[in-house]
């Protein structure tokens, strides 16, 4: 009881992967809007939007349509995961043990840790480049270090500070975003050919749409980490819509800014383009976006440590890691990401595109299995104590049906993959259009449901 009381009043979050009791629940539905709105308005989101022009060669209206449709579609899955947090009160990757088993879940958890490290390193690079652009005496590596220190500090304090940070950034970053659009439209002006129409290719349009959808899907492995402290009686529809609109609007607007910059600047260096196009306001805008990157990176690092702690607790079930373990792991993961960022900054755009496409292929089968199990089979009812047993309790060490469906989901995507590294036979026949993620969802959802209904439903009701 003393520990629960201490966790409520302490400025540092004491818990890590442990279940959140009813006495520790706190927060408002609006917090879910601000954490996803404020954390998305940053340079990496702008860069992602610019890919519709720089990589997929779309005109303004085609690019904007791809960005909007992709985000609105992908946010459905993201928000469905968010609604799980307040019901179960545990991190998303702990809950994955309910589908894959205690050891089977490691297959997904380890991949998600890699995802966090990749996004953390990508954000470090952009934050460093942004600070260098407005303060040339500061090296890019120096800027990377500053963004990293801000991120580690927020991670050390944990859940409350991250939510407070993103509430502030929702106002600051939102204002900076409006200033960007206003300055480019009213002061700098759009080039004459800005609205020139060129017929989009199916491959280009669908490629941009897929990147936008993946941006949302990439939040699925940790979105419920930020709703697990919400009161248990939180209305699930309100949790869904607050997360949905916060993340979709917070992504669509900066991505469209990226489209605008790419069309006006005609160069892959979007950071320099933003600085040039916003003139006298650039220092303020880039400074805010760089601080915003630190907020997002704190979220990546925080959830990365929870996943790493999940791996450790799987192997040592008697271990109940607290805040000290989270801080030590955060420092270690920051050091590794720092090395990745310094090494990869010279070829950032190419590395980033390959990274997010790889994520698409491995995240789709997991999100399909998780959502089908939660909403259609278990109906949100799980035996949480079993999550923390080494033998998996009623869920066992391995759920071979889930693992088989996960691997099937990856395999069925291969013929539909279209990348610079590999293009599948069907994707090539379709002119390079990558619809692999849709195929993965369409195959895994019904197969897992048919294989698991009845068997899994009874497992969710312990004697």
């Amino acid at each position: 009881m003393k520990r629960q009381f201490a966790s409520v009043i302490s400025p540092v979050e004491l818990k890590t992967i442990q279940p959140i009791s009813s006495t520790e629940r706190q927060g408002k539905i609006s917090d879910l809007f601000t954490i996803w709105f404020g954390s998305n308005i940053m340079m990496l989101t702008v860069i992602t939007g610019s890919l519709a022009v720089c990589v997929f060669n779309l005109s303004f209206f085609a690019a904007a349509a791809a960005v909007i449709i992709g985000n609105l579609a992908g946010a459905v899955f993201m928000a469905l995961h968010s609604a799980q947090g307040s019901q179960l009160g545990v991190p998303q990757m702990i809950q994955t043990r309910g589908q894959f088993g205690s050891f089977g879940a490691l297959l997904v958890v380890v991949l998600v840790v890699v995802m966090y490290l990749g996004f953390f390193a990508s954000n470090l690079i952009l934050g460093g480049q942004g600070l260098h652009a407005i303060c040339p005496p500061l090296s890019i590596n120096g800027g990377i270090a500053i963004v990293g220190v801000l991120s580690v500090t927020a991670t050390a304090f944990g859940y409350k500070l991250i939510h407070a940070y993103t509430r502030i950034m929702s106002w600051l970053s939102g204002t900076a975003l409006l200033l960007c659009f206003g300055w480019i439209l009213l002061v700098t002006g759009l080039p004459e050919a800005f609205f020139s129409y060129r017929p989009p290719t199916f491959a280009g349009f669908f490629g941009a749409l897929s990147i936008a959808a993946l941006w949302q899907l990439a939040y699925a492995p940790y979105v419920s980490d930020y709703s697990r402290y919400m009161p248990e009686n939180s209305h699930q529809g309100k949790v869904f819509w607050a997360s949905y609109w916060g993340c979709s609007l917070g992504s669509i607007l900066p991505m469209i800014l990226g489209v605008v910059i790419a069309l006006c600047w005609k160069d892959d260096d979007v950071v320099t383009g933003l600085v040039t196009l916003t003139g006298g306001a650039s220092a303020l805008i880039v400074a805010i976006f760089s601080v915003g990157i630190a907020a997002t990176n704190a979220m990546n690092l925080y959830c990365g440590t929870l996943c790493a702690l999940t791996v450790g607790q799987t192997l040592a079930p008697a271990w109940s890691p607290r805040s000290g373990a989270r801080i030590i792991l955060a420092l270690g993961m920051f050091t590794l990401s720092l090395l990745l960022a310094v090494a990869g900054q010279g070829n950032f755009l190419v590395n980033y595109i390959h990274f997010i496409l790889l994520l698409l292929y491995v995240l789709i089968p997991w999100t399909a299995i998780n959502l089908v199990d939660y909403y259609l089979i278990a109906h949100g009812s799980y035996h949480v104590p079993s999550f923390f047993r080494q033998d998996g309790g009623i869920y066992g060490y391995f759920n071979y049906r889930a693992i088989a469906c996960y691997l099937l989901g990856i395999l069925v995507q291969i013929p539909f993959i279209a990348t610079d590294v590999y293009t599948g036979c069907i994707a090539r026949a379709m002119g390079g259009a990558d619809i692999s993620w849709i195929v993965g969802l369409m195959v895994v959802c019904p197969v897992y449901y048919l294989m698991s209904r009845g068997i899994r439903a009874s497992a969710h009701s312990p004697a």
Side-chain angles (χ1 to χ4, degrees):
M1 185 69 176
K2 287 182 179 179
R3 270 191 169 182
Q4 288 183 0
F5 181 70
S7 67
V8 172
I9 63 174
S10 173
V12 176
E13 181 190 8
L14 301 181
K15 283 195 168 182
T16 56
I17 60 175
Q18 297 84 5
I20 308 303
S21 66
S22 58
T23 58
E24 298 169 294
R25 299 299 187 98
Q26 56 192 291
K28 301 175 293 184
I29 295 293
S30 60
D31 292 339
L32 297 177
F33 179 90
T34 54
I35 195 166
W36 297 113
F37 184 79
S39 63
N40 272 289
I41 303 176
M42 58 169 179
M43 279 307 306
L44 190 61
T45 325
V46 176
I47 294 282
T48 303
S50 73
L51 299 180
V53 177
C54 298
V55 175
F56 299 107
N57 198 34
L58 298 180
S59 62
F60 174 74
F61 291 110
V67 162
I68 293 170
I69 295 170
N71 275 289
L72 293 180
V76 172
F77 300 94
M78 173 269 185
L80 286 171
H81 285 288
S82 180
Q84 299 176 19
S86 60
Q87 293 299 295
L88 299 176
V90 294
Q92 185 73 68
M93 287 297 105
I94 288 287
Q95 189 256 0
T96 295
R97 293 172 175 174
Q99 293 93 47
F100 287 80
S102 60
F103 277 79
L106 293 178
L107 172 69
V108 179
V109 177
V110 171
L111 289 172
V112 171
V113 171
V114 174
M115 179 191 82
Y116 291 131
L117 290 174
F119 273 123
F120 191 89
S122 299
N123 278 324
L124 285 177
I125 292 171
L126 287 176
Q129 289 176 344
L131 292 176
H132 172 70
I134 60 173
C135 182
L138 177 68
S139 68
I140 293 177
N141 289 344
I144 286 174
I146 291 173
V147 172
V149 169
L150 288 173
S151 304
V152 172
T153 301
T155 302
F157 281 89
Y159 183 91
K160 290 182 183 178
L161 182 59
I162 292 173
H163 264 286
Y165 194 166
T166 51
R167 276 196 296 271
I168 294 170
M169 294 314 301
S170 289
W171 290 101
L172 290 179
S173 298
T175 301
L177 188 66
L178 290 175
L179 181 58
C180 280
F181 281 116
W183 196 284
I184 293 173
L185 292 174
L186 303 176
V187 180
T188 305
L190 301 176
E192 290 185 9
F194 182 86
F195 292 109
S196 295
Y197 175 77
R198 52 180 179 274
T201 63
F202 178 70
F205 182 81
F206 212 85
L209 185 152
S210 296
I211 294 293
L214 172 63
W215 181 265
Q216 299 292 331
L217 289 166
Y219 288 120
Y222 67 101
V223 59
S224 70
D225 294 1
Y226 293 100
S227 59
R228 75 190 199 279
Y229 277 91
M230 298 293 294
E232 289 180 83
N233 61 356
S234 298
H235 190 280
Q236 292 303 286
K238 293 180 179 179
V239 171
F240 175 91
W241 288 115
S243 303
Y244 180 86
W245 288 116
C247 205
S248 56
L249 291 176
S251 304
I252 289 170
L253 296 175
M255 283 190 189
I256 290 179
L257 175 63
V259 170
V260 171
I261 293 171
L263 287 169
C264 292
W265 184 240
K266 303 292 185 182
D267 191 280
D268 289 346
D269 189 351
V270 177
V271 175
T272 302
L274 175 64
V275 171
T276 303
L277 292 171
T278 53
S282 63
L284 175 63
I285 290 168
V286 174
I288 291 174
F289 283 175
S290 296
V291 174
I293 280 180
T296 306
N297 254 7
M299 295 173 67
N300 288 325
L301 189 58
Y302 174 83
C303 295
T305 60
L306 295 186
C307 287
L309 292 172
T310 298
V311 174
Q313 195 273 337
T314 302
L315 304 177
W319 183 43
S320 184
R322 309 293 286 185
S323 56
R326 183 183 69 242
I327 294 169
I328 292 170
L329 263 177
L331 291 170
M333 295 178 73
F334 163 63
T335 302
L336 180 55
S337 295
L338 183 64
L339 295 175
L340 291 172
V342 172
Q345 61 181 284
N347 204 21
F348 168 72
L349 191 60
V350 173
N351 292 334
Y352 176 60
I353 293 169
H354 290 161
F355 170 66
I356 58 178
L357 287 175
L358 176 63
L359 278 183
L360 183 65
Y361 309 133
V362 299
L363 283 180
I364 284 297
W366 168 79
T367 198
I369 292 168
N370 179 274
L371 293 178
V372 168
D373 195 87
Y374 184 90
Y375 287 101
L376 301 181
I377 295 175
H379 302 289
S381 177
Y382 288 85
H383 186 237
V384 174
S386 289
F387 294 164
F388 296 90
R389 291 178 52 176
Q390 187 174 44
D391 64 1
I394 65 173
Y395 304 112
Y397 285 105
F398 298 95
N399 176 13
Y400 292 104
R401 293 178 182 83
I403 294 170
C405 285
Y406 181 78
L407 296 176
L408 172 66
I410 294 175
L411 290 174
V412 297
Q413 293 180 79
I414 292 176
F416 300 90
I417 290 173
T419 68
D420 292 339
V421 178
Y422 169 81
T423 299
C425 56
I426 298 179
R428 190 179 301 110
M430 296 176 63
D434 190 332
I435 62 169
S436 57
W437 62 283
I438 293 181
V439 174
L441 285 172
M442 292 179 65
V443 171
V444 174
C445 287
V447 170
Y448 180 75
Y449 177 75
L450 292 173
M451 289 178 65
S452 302
R453 64 176 180 173
I455 298 173
R456 296 287 293 162
S458 61
H460 289 297
S461 302

